[in-house]
mmCIF file of all heavy atoms in Angstrom:
data_model
loop_
_atom_site.group_PDB
_atom_site.id
_atom_site.type_symbol
_atom_site.label_atom_id
_atom_site.label_comp_id
_atom_site.label_asym_id
_atom_site.label_seq_id
_atom_site.Cartn_x
_atom_site.Cartn_y
_atom_site.Cartn_z
ATOM 1 N N THR N 64 0.966 -2.547 -17.264
ATOM 2 C CA THR N 64 -0.465 -2.601 -16.819
ATOM 3 C C THR N 64 -1.351 -2.184 -18.026
ATOM 4 O O THR N 64 -0.897 -1.644 -19.000
ATOM 5 C CB THR N 64 -0.693 -1.660 -15.672
ATOM 6 O OG1 THR N 64 -0.462 -0.335 -16.032
ATOM 7 C CG2 THR N 64 0.224 -2.009 -14.463
ATOM 8 N N PHE N 65 -2.638 -2.440 -17.812
ATOM 9 C CA PHE N 65 -3.647 -1.909 -18.737
ATOM 10 C C PHE N 65 -4.824 -1.377 -17.927
ATOM 11 O O PHE N 65 -5.007 -1.758 -16.779
ATOM 12 C CB PHE N 65 -4.104 -2.970 -19.794
ATOM 13 C CG PHE N 65 -4.998 -4.084 -19.250
ATOM 14 C CD1 PHE N 65 -6.374 -4.025 -19.353
ATOM 15 C CD2 PHE N 65 -4.436 -5.171 -18.596
ATOM 16 C CE1 PHE N 65 -7.202 -5.036 -18.872
ATOM 17 C CE2 PHE N 65 -5.251 -6.194 -18.089
ATOM 18 C CZ PHE N 65 -6.626 -6.089 -18.224
ATOM 19 N N SER N 66 -5.593 -0.490 -18.512
ATOM 20 C CA SER N 66 -6.767 0.043 -17.838
ATOM 21 C C SER N 66 -8.032 -0.202 -18.640
ATOM 22 O O SER N 66 -7.932 -0.719 -19.753
ATOM 23 C CB SER N 66 -6.553 1.544 -17.604
ATOM 24 O OG SER N 66 -6.388 2.172 -18.840
ATOM 25 N N GLY N 67 -9.106 0.096 -18.050
ATOM 26 C CA GLY N 67 -10.378 -0.131 -18.734
ATOM 27 C C GLY N 67 -11.017 -1.448 -18.389
ATOM 28 O O GLY N 67 -10.594 -2.077 -17.448
ATOM 29 N N ARG N 68 -11.968 -1.824 -19.154
ATOM 30 C CA ARG N 68 -12.694 -3.071 -18.920
ATOM 31 C C ARG N 68 -11.782 -4.302 -19.130
ATOM 32 O O ARG N 68 -10.906 -4.323 -19.990
ATOM 33 C CB ARG N 68 -13.920 -3.188 -19.810
ATOM 34 C CG ARG N 68 -14.975 -2.139 -19.542
ATOM 35 C CD ARG N 68 -16.281 -2.369 -20.226
ATOM 36 N NE ARG N 68 -16.942 -3.649 -19.963
ATOM 37 C CZ ARG N 68 -17.620 -3.953 -18.882
ATOM 38 N NH1 ARG N 68 -17.721 -3.059 -17.950
ATOM 39 N NH2 ARG N 68 -18.230 -5.082 -18.782
ATOM 40 N N LEU N 69 -12.043 -5.346 -18.331
ATOM 41 C CA LEU N 69 -11.300 -6.553 -18.481
ATOM 42 C C LEU N 69 -11.831 -7.321 -19.696
ATOM 43 O O LEU N 69 -13.004 -7.217 -20.052
ATOM 44 C CB LEU N 69 -11.530 -7.407 -17.221
ATOM 45 C CG LEU N 69 -10.938 -6.879 -15.938
ATOM 46 C CD1 LEU N 69 -11.454 -7.722 -14.737
ATOM 47 C CD2 LEU N 69 -9.411 -6.905 -15.991
ATOM 48 N N PRO N 70 -10.952 -8.075 -20.363
ATOM 49 C CA PRO N 70 -11.426 -8.826 -21.499
ATOM 50 C C PRO N 70 -12.345 -9.917 -20.993
ATOM 51 O O PRO N 70 -12.298 -10.352 -19.839
ATOM 52 C CB PRO N 70 -10.138 -9.411 -22.121
ATOM 53 C CG PRO N 70 -9.090 -9.262 -21.059
ATOM 54 C CD PRO N 70 -9.518 -8.181 -20.149
ATOM 55 N N PRO N 71 -13.265 -10.439 -21.881
ATOM 56 C CA PRO N 71 -14.226 -11.477 -21.450
ATOM 57 C C PRO N 71 -13.512 -12.731 -20.992
ATOM 58 O O PRO N 71 -14.008 -13.441 -20.123
ATOM 59 C CB PRO N 71 -15.064 -11.707 -22.645
ATOM 60 C CG PRO N 71 -14.605 -10.825 -23.754
ATOM 61 C CD PRO N 71 -13.500 -9.991 -23.246
ATOM 62 N N MET N 72 -12.388 -13.065 -21.623
ATOM 63 C CA MET N 72 -11.641 -14.258 -21.236
ATOM 64 C C MET N 72 -10.213 -13.783 -20.790
ATOM 65 O O MET N 72 -9.529 -13.216 -21.640
ATOM 66 C CB MET N 72 -11.507 -15.240 -22.397
ATOM 67 C CG MET N 72 -12.789 -15.855 -22.823
ATOM 68 S SD MET N 72 -13.475 -16.952 -21.536
ATOM 69 C CE MET N 72 -12.299 -18.290 -21.621
ATOM 70 N N LEU N 73 -9.877 -14.016 -19.524
ATOM 71 C CA LEU N 73 -8.548 -13.658 -19.043
ATOM 72 C C LEU N 73 -7.636 -14.842 -19.310
ATOM 73 O O LEU N 73 -7.889 -15.949 -18.797
ATOM 74 C CB LEU N 73 -8.622 -13.301 -17.584
ATOM 75 C CG LEU N 73 -9.386 -12.040 -17.225
ATOM 76 C CD1 LEU N 73 -9.594 -11.966 -15.701
ATOM 77 C CD2 LEU N 73 -8.661 -10.829 -17.712
ATOM 78 N N PRO N 74 -6.534 -14.645 -20.015
ATOM 79 C CA PRO N 74 -5.641 -15.785 -20.288
ATOM 80 C C PRO N 74 -4.872 -16.227 -19.028
ATOM 81 O O PRO N 74 -4.406 -17.363 -18.951
ATOM 82 C CB PRO N 74 -4.694 -15.224 -21.361
ATOM 83 C CG PRO N 74 -4.927 -13.802 -21.458
ATOM 84 C CD PRO N 74 -6.183 -13.508 -20.772
ATOM 85 N N ALA N 75 -4.768 -15.318 -18.029
ATOM 86 C CA ALA N 75 -4.003 -15.704 -16.867
ATOM 87 C C ALA N 75 -4.507 -14.958 -15.639
ATOM 88 O O ALA N 75 -4.747 -13.716 -15.762
ATOM 89 C CB ALA N 75 -2.513 -15.515 -17.037
ATOM 90 N N ILE N 76 -4.628 -15.611 -14.519
ATOM 91 C CA ILE N 76 -4.988 -15.015 -13.223
ATOM 92 C C ILE N 76 -4.001 -15.565 -12.259
ATOM 93 O O ILE N 76 -3.782 -16.791 -12.160
ATOM 94 C CB ILE N 76 -6.402 -15.378 -12.815
ATOM 95 C CG1 ILE N 76 -7.416 -14.825 -13.844
ATOM 96 C CG2 ILE N 76 -6.714 -14.808 -11.417
ATOM 97 C CD1 ILE N 76 -8.843 -15.292 -13.575
ATOM 98 N N VAL N 77 -3.352 -14.641 -11.503
ATOM 99 C CA VAL N 77 -2.345 -15.086 -10.510
ATOM 100 C C VAL N 77 -2.688 -14.452 -9.141
ATOM 101 O O VAL N 77 -2.965 -13.271 -9.081
ATOM 102 C CB VAL N 77 -0.938 -14.612 -10.917
ATOM 103 C CG1 VAL N 77 0.120 -14.977 -9.874
ATOM 104 C CG2 VAL N 77 -0.520 -15.156 -12.271
ATOM 105 N N VAL N 78 -2.748 -15.322 -8.149
ATOM 106 C CA VAL N 78 -2.976 -14.851 -6.779
ATOM 107 C C VAL N 78 -1.660 -14.949 -6.066
ATOM 108 O O VAL N 78 -1.092 -16.006 -5.915
ATOM 109 C CB VAL N 78 -4.100 -15.668 -6.087
ATOM 110 C CG1 VAL N 78 -4.285 -15.139 -4.667
ATOM 111 C CG2 VAL N 78 -5.409 -15.595 -6.870
ATOM 112 N N LEU N 79 -1.223 -13.780 -5.519
ATOM 113 C CA LEU N 79 0.046 -13.762 -4.719
ATOM 114 C C LEU N 79 -0.334 -13.556 -3.263
ATOM 115 O O LEU N 79 -1.235 -12.830 -2.892
ATOM 116 C CB LEU N 79 0.925 -12.610 -5.159
ATOM 117 C CG LEU N 79 1.497 -12.624 -6.560
ATOM 118 C CD1 LEU N 79 2.420 -11.414 -6.744
ATOM 119 C CD2 LEU N 79 2.200 -13.925 -6.862
ATOM 120 N N ASP N 80 0.464 -14.163 -2.391
ATOM 121 C CA ASP N 80 0.418 -13.925 -0.943
ATOM 122 C C ASP N 80 1.566 -13.038 -0.590
ATOM 123 O O ASP N 80 2.717 -13.353 -0.891
ATOM 124 C CB ASP N 80 0.478 -15.270 -0.172
ATOM 125 C CG ASP N 80 -0.761 -16.114 -0.308
ATOM 126 O OD1 ASP N 80 -1.867 -15.543 -0.545
ATOM 127 O OD2 ASP N 80 -0.658 -17.319 -0.179
ATOM 128 N N LEU N 81 1.264 -11.960 0.094
ATOM 129 C CA LEU N 81 2.250 -10.992 0.490
ATOM 130 C C LEU N 81 2.331 -10.901 2.013
ATOM 131 O O LEU N 81 1.305 -10.952 2.686
ATOM 132 C CB LEU N 81 1.997 -9.575 -0.042
ATOM 133 C CG LEU N 81 2.080 -9.403 -1.570
ATOM 134 C CD1 LEU N 81 0.753 -9.622 -2.192
ATOM 135 C CD2 LEU N 81 2.558 -8.034 -1.868
ATOM 136 N N SER N 82 3.520 -10.780 2.568
ATOM 137 C CA SER N 82 3.728 -10.616 4.006
ATOM 138 C C SER N 82 4.526 -9.293 4.147
ATOM 139 O O SER N 82 5.599 -9.172 3.608
ATOM 140 C CB SER N 82 4.490 -11.751 4.618
ATOM 141 O OG SER N 82 3.760 -12.934 4.601
ATOM 142 N N VAL N 83 3.999 -8.363 4.915
ATOM 143 C CA VAL N 83 4.559 -7.045 5.066
ATOM 144 C C VAL N 83 4.865 -6.878 6.591
ATOM 145 O O VAL N 83 4.049 -7.171 7.444
ATOM 146 C CB VAL N 83 3.614 -5.957 4.555
ATOM 147 C CG1 VAL N 83 4.121 -4.582 4.838
ATOM 148 C CG2 VAL N 83 3.333 -6.135 3.063
ATOM 149 N N GLY N 84 6.032 -6.308 6.880
ATOM 150 C CA GLY N 84 6.442 -6.060 8.251
ATOM 151 C C GLY N 84 5.728 -4.797 8.782
ATOM 152 O O GLY N 84 5.029 -4.092 8.083
ATOM 153 N N PRO N 85 5.904 -4.530 10.105
ATOM 154 C CA PRO N 85 5.196 -3.418 10.736
ATOM 155 C C PRO N 85 5.438 -2.078 10.093
ATOM 156 O O PRO N 85 4.572 -1.245 10.057
ATOM 157 C CB PRO N 85 5.744 -3.436 12.138
ATOM 158 C CG PRO N 85 6.455 -4.727 12.350
ATOM 159 C CD PRO N 85 6.750 -5.262 11.002
ATOM 160 N N ASN N 86 6.628 -1.852 9.567
ATOM 161 C CA ASN N 86 6.921 -0.574 8.962
ATOM 162 C C ASN N 86 6.708 -0.557 7.452
ATOM 163 O O ASN N 86 7.149 0.389 6.777
ATOM 164 C CB ASN N 86 8.392 -0.173 9.267
ATOM 165 C CG ASN N 86 8.551 0.119 10.739
ATOM 166 O OD1 ASN N 86 7.709 0.685 11.375
ATOM 167 N ND2 ASN N 86 9.687 -0.227 11.297
ATOM 168 N N GLY N 87 6.134 -1.600 6.912
ATOM 169 C CA GLY N 87 5.784 -1.626 5.504
ATOM 170 C C GLY N 87 6.823 -2.368 4.619
ATOM 171 O O GLY N 87 6.633 -2.411 3.423
#
Side-chain angles (χ1 to χ4, degrees):
T64 66
F65 73 97
S66 59
R68 293 190 60 78
L69 295 170
M72 293 294 290
L73 294 169
I76 299 173
V77 178
V78 179
L79 296 184
D80 289 332
L81 292 91
S82 293
V83 176
N86 293 324

